mmCIF file of all heavy atoms in Angstrom:
data_model
loop_
_atom_site.group_PDB
_atom_site.id
_atom_site.type_symbol
_atom_site.label_atom_id
_atom_site.label_comp_id
_atom_site.label_asym_id
_atom_site.label_seq_id
_atom_site.Cartn_x
_atom_site.Cartn_y
_atom_site.Cartn_z
ATOM 1 N N ARG D 160 54.538 87.612 117.734
ATOM 2 C CA ARG D 160 55.430 86.741 118.504
ATOM 3 C C ARG D 160 56.580 87.556 119.095
ATOM 4 O O ARG D 160 56.940 87.376 120.265
ATOM 5 C CB ARG D 160 55.964 85.599 117.646
ATOM 6 C CG ARG D 160 56.839 84.639 118.449
ATOM 7 C CD ARG D 160 56.896 83.275 117.869
ATOM 8 N NE ARG D 160 57.608 83.214 116.597
ATOM 9 C CZ ARG D 160 57.964 82.076 115.994
ATOM 10 N NH1 ARG D 160 57.651 80.922 116.557
ATOM 11 N NH2 ARG D 160 58.595 82.100 114.853
ATOM 12 N N ILE D 161 57.149 88.452 118.339
ATOM 13 C CA ILE D 161 58.262 89.275 118.820
ATOM 14 C C ILE D 161 57.802 90.247 119.904
ATOM 15 O O ILE D 161 58.459 90.417 120.951
ATOM 16 C CB ILE D 161 58.950 90.012 117.654
ATOM 17 C CG1 ILE D 161 59.738 89.011 116.820
ATOM 18 C CG2 ILE D 161 59.909 91.097 118.187
ATOM 19 C CD1 ILE D 161 60.496 89.602 115.679
ATOM 20 N N THR D 162 56.667 90.881 119.646
ATOM 21 C CA THR D 162 56.187 91.853 120.648
ATOM 22 C C THR D 162 55.738 91.172 121.940
ATOM 23 O O THR D 162 55.914 91.715 123.038
ATOM 24 C CB THR D 162 55.025 92.700 120.075
ATOM 25 O OG1 THR D 162 54.004 91.827 119.578
ATOM 26 C CG2 THR D 162 55.553 93.578 118.943
ATOM 27 N N ASP D 163 55.160 89.969 121.817
ATOM 28 C CA ASP D 163 54.817 89.198 123.030
ATOM 29 C C ASP D 163 56.074 88.827 123.807
ATOM 30 O O ASP D 163 56.096 88.862 125.030
ATOM 31 C CB ASP D 163 54.068 87.936 122.659
ATOM 32 C CG ASP D 163 52.586 88.193 122.343
ATOM 33 O OD1 ASP D 163 52.168 89.350 122.528
ATOM 34 O OD2 ASP D 163 51.888 87.280 121.904
ATOM 35 N N TYR D 164 57.135 88.446 123.071
ATOM 36 C CA TYR D 164 58.407 88.111 123.710
ATOM 37 C C TYR D 164 58.947 89.327 124.455
ATOM 38 O O TYR D 164 59.425 89.227 125.572
ATOM 39 C CB TYR D 164 59.397 87.627 122.655
ATOM 40 C CG TYR D 164 60.652 86.998 123.202
ATOM 41 C CD1 TYR D 164 60.749 85.657 123.465
ATOM 42 C CD2 TYR D 164 61.788 87.798 123.446
ATOM 43 C CE1 TYR D 164 61.893 85.091 123.967
ATOM 44 C CE2 TYR D 164 62.933 87.240 123.940
ATOM 45 C CZ TYR D 164 62.994 85.882 124.190
ATOM 46 O OH TYR D 164 64.141 85.320 124.698
ATOM 47 N N TRP D 165 58.851 90.480 123.827
ATOM 48 C CA TRP D 165 59.342 91.725 124.424
ATOM 49 C C TRP D 165 58.531 92.059 125.687
ATOM 50 O O TRP D 165 59.088 92.432 126.712
ATOM 51 C CB TRP D 165 59.255 92.861 123.404
ATOM 52 C CG TRP D 165 59.469 94.230 123.983
ATOM 53 C CD1 TRP D 165 58.526 95.162 124.252
ATOM 54 C CD2 TRP D 165 60.723 94.806 124.360
ATOM 55 N NE1 TRP D 165 59.093 96.307 124.759
ATOM 56 C CE2 TRP D 165 60.447 96.115 124.823
ATOM 57 C CE3 TRP D 165 62.037 94.370 124.335
ATOM 58 C CZ2 TRP D 165 61.452 96.950 125.289
ATOM 59 C CZ3 TRP D 165 63.028 95.199 124.791
ATOM 60 C CH2 TRP D 165 62.758 96.494 125.272
ATOM 61 N N LYS D 166 57.236 91.922 125.617
ATOM 62 C CA LYS D 166 56.372 92.316 126.715
ATOM 63 C C LYS D 166 56.437 91.326 127.904
ATOM 64 O O LYS D 166 56.461 91.731 129.060
ATOM 65 C CB LYS D 166 54.930 92.416 126.254
ATOM 66 C CG LYS D 166 54.660 93.563 125.285
ATOM 67 C CD LYS D 166 53.214 93.496 124.804
ATOM 68 C CE LYS D 166 52.915 94.580 123.777
ATOM 69 N NZ LYS D 166 51.519 94.484 123.277
ATOM 70 N N LYS D 167 56.473 89.998 127.600
ATOM 71 C CA LYS D 167 56.290 89.004 128.625
ATOM 72 C C LYS D 167 57.587 88.330 129.097
ATOM 73 O O LYS D 167 57.631 87.837 130.245
ATOM 74 C CB LYS D 167 55.335 87.895 128.109
ATOM 75 C CG LYS D 167 53.954 88.427 127.770
ATOM 76 C CD LYS D 167 53.106 87.338 127.142
ATOM 77 C CE LYS D 167 51.724 87.866 126.742
ATOM 78 N NZ LYS D 167 50.880 86.814 126.131
ATOM 79 N N LEU D 168 58.610 88.283 128.251
ATOM 80 C CA LEU D 168 59.803 87.513 128.641
ATOM 81 C C LEU D 168 61.034 88.342 128.892
ATOM 82 O O LEU D 168 61.914 87.915 129.633
ATOM 83 C CB LEU D 168 60.095 86.450 127.541
ATOM 84 C CG LEU D 168 59.092 85.314 127.428
ATOM 85 C CD1 LEU D 168 59.451 84.393 126.299
ATOM 86 C CD2 LEU D 168 58.996 84.547 128.736
ATOM 87 N N ILE D 169 61.175 89.509 128.284
ATOM 88 C CA ILE D 169 62.331 90.354 128.562
ATOM 89 C C ILE D 169 62.196 90.927 129.969
ATOM 90 O O ILE D 169 61.232 91.651 130.243
ATOM 91 C CB ILE D 169 62.492 91.478 127.520
ATOM 92 C CG1 ILE D 169 62.627 90.922 126.114
ATOM 93 C CG2 ILE D 169 63.658 92.359 127.882
ATOM 94 C CD1 ILE D 169 63.919 90.213 125.868
ATOM 95 N N PRO D 170 63.139 90.663 130.856
ATOM 96 C CA PRO D 170 63.038 91.144 132.249
ATOM 97 C C PRO D 170 63.037 92.680 132.306
ATOM 98 O O PRO D 170 63.643 93.359 131.455
ATOM 99 C CB PRO D 170 64.281 90.556 132.925
ATOM 100 C CG PRO D 170 64.694 89.424 132.061
ATOM 101 C CD PRO D 170 64.325 89.793 130.669
ATOM 102 N N ARG D 171 62.353 93.220 133.306
ATOM 103 C CA ARG D 171 62.303 94.667 133.469
ATOM 104 C C ARG D 171 63.709 95.247 133.659
ATOM 105 O O ARG D 171 63.989 96.368 133.220
ATOM 106 C CB ARG D 171 61.435 95.005 134.675
ATOM 107 C CG ARG D 171 59.945 94.758 134.467
ATOM 108 C CD ARG D 171 59.168 95.243 135.688
ATOM 109 N NE ARG D 171 57.727 95.035 135.492
ATOM 110 C CZ ARG D 171 56.812 95.360 136.385
ATOM 111 N NH1 ARG D 171 57.180 95.914 137.546
ATOM 112 N NH2 ARG D 171 55.525 95.159 136.149
ATOM 113 N N HIS D 172 64.549 94.479 134.330
ATOM 114 C CA HIS D 172 65.926 94.954 134.572
ATOM 115 C C HIS D 172 66.644 95.209 133.236
ATOM 116 O O HIS D 172 67.331 96.233 133.057
ATOM 117 C CB HIS D 172 66.686 93.896 135.394
ATOM 118 C CG HIS D 172 68.148 94.220 135.583
ATOM 119 N ND1 HIS D 172 68.559 95.287 136.317
ATOM 120 C CD2 HIS D 172 69.260 93.582 135.114
ATOM 121 C CE1 HIS D 172 69.866 95.329 136.294
ATOM 122 N NE2 HIS D 172 70.325 94.301 135.571
ATOM 123 N N ILE D 173 66.450 94.285 132.278
ATOM 124 C CA ILE D 173 67.083 94.436 130.973
ATOM 125 C C ILE D 173 66.477 95.647 130.233
ATOM 126 O O ILE D 173 67.173 96.432 129.601
ATOM 127 C CB ILE D 173 66.929 93.163 130.130
ATOM 128 C CG1 ILE D 173 67.685 91.994 130.761
ATOM 129 C CG2 ILE D 173 67.372 93.388 128.699
ATOM 130 C CD1 ILE D 173 69.181 92.198 130.779
#
Side-chain angles (χ1 to χ4, degrees):
R160 183 155 69 169
I161 289 181
T162 54
D163 282 354
Y164 190 90
W165 169 257
K166 293 175 182 177
K167 299 176 182 179
L168 290 178
I169 300 291
R171 290 184 179 180
H172 175 66
I173 294 294

